[in-house]
Amino acid sequence: MFPKMVKSLVLFIVFLFPLVYIQGFAYPGIFPRAMVTFFILEILFFLFLWHSIYSSKIVVKKSYIIVALFIYIILLCVSAILGPDFEQSFWSSFSRMSGIVTWLHYFSFLF
């Protein structure tokens, strides 16, 4: 029952996502969508954690893509620490939304 509910929620969100457009921001087509994506991915990640705790097992698929993405995020963190502006690297800009926070949210979506 739980996996069916999550799959239905994800499919509903995927079809609803292109309609997200909130005026009043400097970049109304990018920033609100990123915030909605962060919110949804955090809910899904906590549902994953809750399900893992409830069922007493954590199922993480091992693949080369997940390992490569994990290494890429580690390299992003290292370059952010060693770069001239850590805050810009961590949060990114409103026009691009491609900082470490965004990549961590996308990585959590794999689980």
Side-chain angles (χ1 to χ4, degrees), residues 26-92:
Y27 301 97
I30 298 169
F31 181 72
R33 286 184 185 169
M35 292 298 111
V36 168
T37 303
F38 291 173
F39 180 69
I40 291 167
L41 290 178
E42 287 171 6
I43 288 173
L44 290 174
F45 185 71
F46 285 117
L47 284 174
F48 166 75
L49 289 178
W50 179 72
H51 178 64
S52 298
I53 292 169
Y54 181 70
S55 66
S56 300
K57 63 179 179 177
I58 297 176
V59 179
V60 178
K61 297 178 182 176
K62 295 179 183 176
S63 72
Y64 292 117
I65 294 174
I66 291 176
V67 171
L69 186 59
F70 181 73
I71 291 171
Y72 180 69
I73 291 173
I74 295 296
L75 290 174
L76 279 177
C77 292
V78 169
S79 68
I81 292 169
L82 298 176
D85 189 6
F86 177 75
E87 185 176 340
Q88 178 71 25
S89 299
F90 187 75
W91 294 108
S92 188

